[in-house]
Structure formats: structure tokens, C-alpha cells
């Protein structure tokens, strides 16, 4: 079955709530179009079944209802429109006849905060943490034929629970926003042989790929083949599952923001499963990121060995109709398209983990990414919960493993402004050990807020100054970036979230906002050219709830300043800071 199957359960009983700010995609999401796109672009198989759609739902406060999965219950698109601490989801499905001799895997993109899953009354999976994926082999729980039942019990106690929450709050306001509970990413099935490829660890550099095939259910031989963008084979290698395979690429075509060239990678496993084979498809980009010295001996960020200034916006990934979940895949991509239109080469994904398709679009469109770990909850002094450290570190490790194949990601950010910060040196070293190929920004905004005194950890010194830009000097072997600056605001009537709008500096018109953006950009250009600054992140790509400091309104309907003028100055900053 090569296309999505929409849930059949009483779709007519589901009704969306009215979104406070509908986007142009709000009305496109429904029982027949609940994120039907293939959810895992870097490990694809021919057959799959989408379980998004209308499910039965029972909430601890809501009672019995119908919900549109995978939109969180708090969102308008879910049809629920409120928070429940405890949520129970139920639906049925049938297994396609041609899957009869296969194992069946059940996948969840994300469920916030904890989940227990039953199939036909048998518990098949539990998971802790609201931002990472999990799967279960449900073959032994399936009945010989007919309808099969899935039940999911989720609990989400907002910041009262010991889990990473990012910007979610039970009482949103200011820089914190409405939370997203329960199932908020795609639920889907796929058939596999008993011995099958579970993951490909893909590391690209300037001469080729190192691919490590991970196999579940047994062992076997794996052959990996790399094709160029025109479909011509460029290299292949084979070996034992679990062992790294080196695939050298003659005349390598490197991945850059201006030329995001991707190679197709396929793998074929011959396992110990009665001669059955498993085949998957993926992709990769050839690029490196490192620190190098400029002509004055200052540490700078280099892409593929060339000093490259990182310039882009903060991207928080919230939606007025779907909250943590974009209404459609086109909507998910749209913010990245706008970032490219604005002349940027970079984006910081702020204290949230996106669905795999977001990183796929960043890879395809050519945007460098710093990926934040969602912040743990923290007390009035910024201290983390004692009972949440193990969960935080487990989910941080899982996030790195889950996203490590994306060529767009060039840096990890474990802490932001000291929110829940602890053991900074140890955590930074652990992140570097988990992925030595990328930069580590140990605490973005080390000069700000609840941050501990600068530990010197990681590869970067990261300043937050509003409106800024910050003027931090190079102080050691770390490169210096402005991890947040800007925050220039404008209220657009009819396109603002209910409540009191706020920004770090408010303007009164698109013309004034454009003028102030130009003034700040000219100062940033000087810092990039003369002071050794390596990157700068503007707050932010869109308004988010009561924050009105976006290039776009929260509903994505209005460009709040002159994009052509902003893009010209953004490109000038990148040019000034790059060698």
C-alpha cells in the first residue's frame, strides 16, 4: 500500500474549533488531509500506512470526543481546543493482505509527555519525553484478520512534570506560549522483514560518506549505493551490518546554502530471514563545519573549510491553528521558504524539535541549522528539577541520534539563557562525544538571564543582546556569535493574537520597522567585517502569540517590513563576515 490511509472512525463527528488566527492552510487540514505526507524522508520504504485522521478521544477534563490526529488537543485543528492532563486515544485499522508475511512496525513521531500504547489489549510500547520519536514491532499483538485496535494513553502535566517543555506553559504569556499535549506528530505503520534495516547512520565530509547500517532482528550483509542528483551511480560498498562502510565520491559536489546538493543513498540488506531482503532509500550531503583562524588569528566558523558568516532568524515553530503542529506540509515548508527569500543562510530552531520533514526541507532548500534541545522546566532562579535531569539527558541523546543525518544541522544547543542549566561542561562534552562532527553551543545567551558564569565549554561564546546587536569580543579559542538580537515589533491590526502585544522595541509602521531593521543591520555588518563576529540570529521569523517581533505575522499572512530591502542587507552582512 503505497499511499496514506485516512482513519475511518466516524469522521463526521469531528468538527474543528475556530482558530483565533486562521492561516491560509487552516481549512486544508481535515479528516481527508491530516498530514498525509511520508513522515521519514531519510529512511523510506515503498509500503506504509498513515494512521492520522479522526480517532476516538477521552480527556480527563474533556470527556468523550473525536480528535483529529496529529494535532494536539489544545489546538483548534484537533477539534478539542483545551488541555487534558490525561488523554486516551483509540482507533482501529486493518492490515493490508500483502503484509501477511511481514513484521509490522508502529511509529509515533512524538507524543507529549509520556505514552503507553496497546494493540488489541496488549501493551506494546511506553515512552517518556515529548519531543522524540518511538516505535514498536506489533506483529505478535495482531489478530489473524479483520479490524485491529490501537489505544494510546498519554499524560502531560505541563511544567509540573519532570520533562523538557521548551516554551510551553500551562498559563501562557509573554515569551511563553500555549502547550501541546498528546499525539502531535504523525502515527504510521510499515511492513518489514523479520531482519530489517532499522537506521542508516550517514556522515558526509569533503570526499564521501561513511554509512553505518543498523539492523534489527538479526544480522546480515548490507550493500550501500550512492547516486548523484541525475541518477548516475557514483560509488558503492558492502559489508556486515553494524560496521561502517566508506564510500569515496570522485569529484565530490559539496552541499552549501547556495547549492544544497544532495546525493541519493540506498541500502539493501540480505538478512537471516529465509532469504528475504530489505531495501531502504535515503540521502546525504557532503559538507563539514569547523572552527578556523582568520587572517588576524581569530576563531571563526567555517563551512567546508571556508569562513562563512551564519545569519538567520530564530524559528520557534508555533502555529495559531495547530500550535506545535503545522496544519500542512506546505505550511511547514513555508517559513523556510521565507527565510531563504529574506537572504538568510541560517536558522536557529529554538527549544523545539520539529517533525523529520522540517529538516528535510532545510536540507533541500539550503539552510544551515542550529538545533536547540527543548529547555527543562526551571525554578524562579533558573534551577532545574532534580527529578528531571535523567529524562533531560536521555531525550537530548535521543534527539541527537534522531536528527544526526541532516546535513543542514551544523550545531547543537543544549541550554538557552541558563533555563534549567546544570553541569554545563559535562553536558557540552557529552554532546560533543555523541557527535564530534558538529559545533556545540553550550549555553546560548551565556551573558543573559539565568545563565551560570561562563564555563568556557563548547565551541562558541554566545551573546544575547536586545535590541543589539551584541558587541562581544573574541576572548579565547571559541568563535563568537550573537545568538539572539533584534526583537523589533509591529502590531498589525486583525493579525494579532488575543492579549497584550510585546516586543523589545515597538515600531508604528512597516516603513519605520524597515528603517530600524536597516540601521541595526548596518551596525551588524560592521561587527561582522571588523570585529570577528561569526554569526547572528535575529528574533524572529514570525510573531508568536503575544510576541509581535516577527518578519511575518503569526498567521503568516502579512510581511511586516520590506522583504527586498531586508534581504539586501542580510546578504551584505553575510558577505562582510565571510571569507
Amino acid at each position: 500500500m503505497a499511499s496514506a490511509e485516512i482513519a475511518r472512525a466516524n469522521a463526521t463527528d469531528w468538527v474543528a474549533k475556530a482558530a483565533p488566527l486562521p492561516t491560509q492552510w487552516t481549512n486544508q487540514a481535515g479528516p481527508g488531509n491530516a498530514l498525509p505526507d511520508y513522515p521519514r524522508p531519510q529512511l523510506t520504504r515503498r509500503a506504509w500506512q498513515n494512521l492520522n485522521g479522526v480517532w476516538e478521544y477521552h480527556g480527563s477534563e474533556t470527556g468523550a470526543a473525536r480528535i483529529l490526529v496529529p494535532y494536539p488537543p489544545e489546538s483548534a485543528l484537533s477539534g478539542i481546543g483545551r488541555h487534558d492532563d490525561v488523554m486516551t486515544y483509540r482507533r482501529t485499522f486493518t492490515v493490508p493482505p500483502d503484509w501477511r508475511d511481514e513484521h509490522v512496525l508502529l511509529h509515533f513521531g512524538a507524543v507529549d509527555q509520556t505514552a503507553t500504547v496497546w494493540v488489541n489489549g496488549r501493551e506494546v510500547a511506553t515512552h517518556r519525553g515529548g519531543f522524540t520519536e518511538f516505535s514498536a514491532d506489533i506483529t505478535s499483538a495482531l489478530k489473524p484478520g479483520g479490524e485491529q485496535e490501537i489505544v494510546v494513553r498519554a499524560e502531560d502535566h505541563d511544567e509540573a512534570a519532570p520533562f523538557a517543555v521548551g516554551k510551553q506553559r500551562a498559563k501562557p504569556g509573554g515569551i511563553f506560549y500555549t502547550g501541546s499535549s498528546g499525539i502531535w506528530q504523525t502515527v504510521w505503520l510499515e511492513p518489514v522483514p523479520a531482519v530489517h534495516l532499522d537506521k542508516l547512520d550517514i556522515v558526509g565530509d569533503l570526499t564521501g560518506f561513511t554509512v553505518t547500517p543498523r539492523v534489527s532482528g538479526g544480522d546480515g550483509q548490507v550493500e550501500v549505493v550512492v547516486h548523484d542528483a541525475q541518477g548516475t551511480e557514483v560509488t558503492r560498498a558492502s559489508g556486515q551490518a553494524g560496521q561502517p562502510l566508506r564510500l569515496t565520491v570522485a569529484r565530490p559536489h559539496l552541499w552549501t546554502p547556495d547549492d544544497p546538493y544532495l546525493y541519493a543513498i540506498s541500502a539493501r540488506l540480505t538478512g537471516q530471514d529465509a532469504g528475504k531482503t530489505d531495501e531502504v532509500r535515503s540521502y546525504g550531503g557532503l559538507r563539514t563545519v569547523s572552527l578556523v583562524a582568520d587572517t588576524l588569528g581569530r576563531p571563526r566558523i567555517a563551512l567546508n573549510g571556508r569562513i562563512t558568516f551564519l545569519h538567520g532568524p530564530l524559528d520557534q515553530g508555533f502555529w495559531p491553528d495547530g500550535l506545535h503542529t503545522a496544519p500542512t506540509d506546505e505550511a511547514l515548508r513555508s517559513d523556510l521558504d521565507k527565510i531563504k527569500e529574506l537572504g538568510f543562510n541560517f536558522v536557529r530552531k529554538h527549544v523545539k524539535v520539529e517533525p523529520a520533514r522540517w529538516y528535510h526541507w532545510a536540507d533541500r532548500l539550503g539552510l544551515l541549522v542550529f538545533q536547540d534541545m527543548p529547555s527543562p522546566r526551571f525554578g524562579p532562579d533558573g534551577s532545574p528539577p532534580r527529578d528531571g535531569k535523567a529524562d533531560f539527558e536521555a531525550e537530548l541523546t535521543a534527539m541527537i541520534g534522531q536528527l544526526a543525518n541532516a546535513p543542514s544541522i551544523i550545531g547543537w544547543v543544549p541550554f538557552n539563557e541558563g533555563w534549567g542549566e546544570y553541569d554545563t561542561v559535562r553536558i557540552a562534552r557529552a554532546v560533543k562525544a555523541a557527535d564530534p562532527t558538529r559545533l556545540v553551543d553550550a549555553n546560548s545567551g551565556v551573558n543573559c538571564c539565568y545563565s551560570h558564569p561562563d564555563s568556557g565549554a563548547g565551541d562558541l561564546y554566545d551573546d544575547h543582546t536586545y535590541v543589539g546587536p551584541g558587541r562581544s569580543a573574541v576572548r579565547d579559542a571559541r568563535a563568537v556569535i550573537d545568538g539572539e538580537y533584534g526583537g523589533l515589533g509591529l502590531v498589525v491590526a486583525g493579525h494579532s493574537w488575543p492579549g497584550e502585544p510585546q516586543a523589545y522595541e515597538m515600531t508604528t509602521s512597516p516603513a519605520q520597522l524597515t528603517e530600524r531593521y536597516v540601521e541595526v543591520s548596518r551596525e551588524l555588518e560592521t561587527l561582522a567585517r571588523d570585529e570577528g563576529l561569526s554569526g547572528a540570529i535575529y528574533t524572529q521569523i514570525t510573531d508568536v502569540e503575544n510576541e509581535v517581533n516577527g518578519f511575518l505575522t503569526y498567521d503568516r499572512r502579512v510581511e511586516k517590513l520590506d522583504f527586498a530591502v531586508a534581504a539586501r542587507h542580510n546578504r551584505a552582512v553575510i558577505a562582510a563576515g565571510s571569507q
Side-chain angles (χ1 to χ4, degrees):
M1 182 172 186
S3 61
E5 177 181 301
I6 302 300
R8 298 181 299 277
N10 295 329
T12 55
D13 293 343
W14 170 84
V15 178
K17 299 292 185 182
L21 277 179
T23 69
Q24 62 182 297
W25 304 279
T26 300
N27 292 334
Q28 296 177 23
N33 192 39
L35 296 181
D37 313 276
Y38 195 93
R40 192 186 58 196
Q42 278 202 298
L43 193 74
T44 67
R45 288 186 173 90
R46 178 187 58 82
W48 71 294
Q49 182 176 338
N50 196 334
L51 297 184
N52 292 345
V54 177
W55 292 46
E56 298 172 20
Y57 177 84
H58 190 281
S60 53
E61 302 296 330
T62 303
R66 303 287 177 181
I67 188 169
L68 186 63
V69 169
Y71 304 100
E74 295 89 341
S75 73
L77 286 176
S78 72
I80 304 299
R82 65 167 297 154
H83 172 80
D84 289 298
D85 283 349
V86 181
M87 299 146 277
T88 302
Y89 298 76
R90 178 189 178 275
R91 68 152 290 166
T92 60
F93 68 96
T94 58
V95 178
D98 56 347
W99 293 14
R100 186 175 297 108
D101 297 327
E102 305 280 1
H103 280 235
V104 177
L105 304 183
L106 171 62
H107 301 289
F108 291 84
V111 181
D112 202 357
Q113 294 169 310
T114 65
T116 305
V117 183
W118 295 266
V119 172
N120 295 325
R122 181 185 298 184
E123 183 178 313
V124 296
T126 61
H127 184 72
R128 295 173 65 87
F131 293 93
T132 49
E133 64 192 14
F134 64 99
S135 303
D137 186 333
I138 64 171
T139 310
S140 61
L142 295 174
K143 298 183 293 187
E147 286 196 336
Q148 319 284 336
E149 178 194 62
I150 296 176
V151 175
V152 180
R153 185 182 190 274
E155 288 194 40
D156 187 331
H157 298 275
D158 296 307
E159 64 269 31
F163 298 102
V165 293
K167 286 289 197 86
Q168 303 176 90
R169 292 296 183 270
K171 296 180 178 179
I175 66 169
F176 299 105
Y177 321 124
T178 306
S180 292
S181 302
I183 299 171
W184 68 274
Q185 290 188 30
T186 291
V187 186
W188 58 293
L189 301 167
E190 68 172 339
V192 297
V195 182
H196 58 272
L197 289 157
D198 184 56
K199 189 175 187 290
L200 300 179
D201 293 335
I202 302 170
V203 179
D205 54 40
L206 302 187
T207 61
F209 296 99
T210 300
V211 178
T212 305
R214 307 295 182 182
V215 172
S216 290
D219 205 347
Q221 288 288 118
V222 181
E223 182 176 57
V224 177
V225 183
V226 178
H227 291 82
D228 65 18
Q230 289 71 47
T232 302
E233 181 180 324
V234 295
T235 184
R236 69 171 59 209
S238 59
Q240 196 69 17
Q243 298 301 309
L245 302 175
R246 182 61 189 174
L247 296 109
T248 301
V249 175
R251 298 180 298 279
H253 191 150
L254 302 185
W255 187 98
T256 70
D258 292 331
D259 183 15
Y261 190 90
L262 297 172
Y263 287 88
I265 299 173
S266 60
R268 179 182 176 91
L269 166 70
T270 303
Q272 303 166 337
D273 187 14
K276 285 189 176 181
T277 61
D278 186 28
E279 297 185 33
V280 296
R281 297 186 180 276
S282 187
Y283 66 84
L286 298 179
R287 65 107 187 95
T288 61
V289 61
S290 60
L291 298 185
V292 301
D294 66 12
T295 55
L296 298 178
R298 300 171 299 194
R300 304 290 294 279
I301 295 171
L303 181 71
N304 302 333
R306 300 184 63 179
I307 292 174
T308 302
F309 191 87
L310 309 181
H311 194 22
L314 201 70
D315 181 352
Q316 307 207 58
F318 278 74
W319 297 83
D321 45 15
L323 298 176
H324 262 186
T325 308
T328 68
D329 190 60
E330 180 187 0
L332 186 72
R333 172 179 169 162
S334 68
D335 286 352
L336 299 177
D337 283 327
K338 290 296 184 181
I339 292 169
K340 291 290 289 188
E341 183 182 339
L342 281 160
F344 289 124
N345 64 356
F346 176 71
V347 57
R348 178 183 171 199
K349 177 47 63 178
H350 192 37
V351 294
K352 183 196 176 195
V353 180
E354 291 286 359
R357 294 194 64 85
W358 187 92
Y359 304 95
H360 168 70
W361 288 124
D363 296 339
R364 288 274 305 274
L365 296 172
L367 280 166
L368 301 166
V369 176
F370 272 12
Q371 174 64 50
D372 290 11
M373 174 62 193
S375 304
R377 66 181 174 94
F378 55 92
D381 61 351
S383 60
R386 293 181 181 178
D387 58 348
K389 292 179 180 179
D391 282 304
F392 176 82
E393 292 180 43
E395 195 160 21
L396 171 61
T397 300
M399 178 191 75
I400 293 170
Q402 178 175 317
L403 303 180
N405 284 350
S408 55
I409 297 177
I410 61 167
W412 305 110
V413 186
F415 293 113
N416 175 74
E417 294 183 350
W419 299 353
E421 183 183 2
Y422 70 98
D423 293 352
T424 312
V425 173
R426 180 179 66 83
I427 296 293
R429 287 175 177 169
V431 171
K432 196 70 170 183
D435 184 2
T437 71
R438 290 180 171 93
L439 303 176
V440 177
D441 185 352
N443 178 35
S444 184
V446 69
N447 63 312
C448 174
C449 312
Y450 301 105
S451 294
H452 295 189
D454 181 24
S455 65
D459 299 299
L460 307 173
Y461 180 91
D462 183 330
D463 174 281
H464 287 189
T465 300
Y466 287 104
V467 168
R471 305 186 67 90
S472 297
V474 172
R475 63 198 62 217
D476 50 31
R478 294 172 296 169
V480 175
I481 67 170
D482 282 353
E484 293 181 27
Y485 79 100
L488 301 170
L490 176 66
V491 177
V492 179
H495 299 274
S496 297
W497 190 257
E500 185 67 24
Q502 69 169 49
Y504 292 94
E505 176 185 313
M506 201 70 79
T507 64
T508 59
S509 69
Q512 186 186 29
L513 177 58
T514 301
E515 180 182 2
R516 282 293 291 129
Y517 188 79
V518 168
E519 291 171 353
V520 172
S521 295
R522 284 174 174 157
E523 185 175 354
L524 179 62
E525 184 179 345
T526 299
L527 295 175
R529 182 179 58 246
D530 300 337
E531 302 298 328
L533 189 67
S534 285
I537 300 161
Y538 182 85
T539 300
Q540 56 188 319
I541 184 59
T542 75
D543 294 350
V544 183
E545 297 200 356
N546 295 132
E547 285 193 288
V548 293
N549 46 25
F551 289 103
L552 297 159
T553 53
Y554 191 23
D555 57 9
R556 278 75 166 174
R557 292 182 183 270
V558 179
E559 297 177 358
K560 297 169 65 177
L561 79 174
D562 189 320
F563 268 39
V565 172
R568 185 164 63 249
H569 285 274
N570 293 336
R571 295 187 182 102
V573 170
I574 294 170
S578 302
Q579 296 180 8

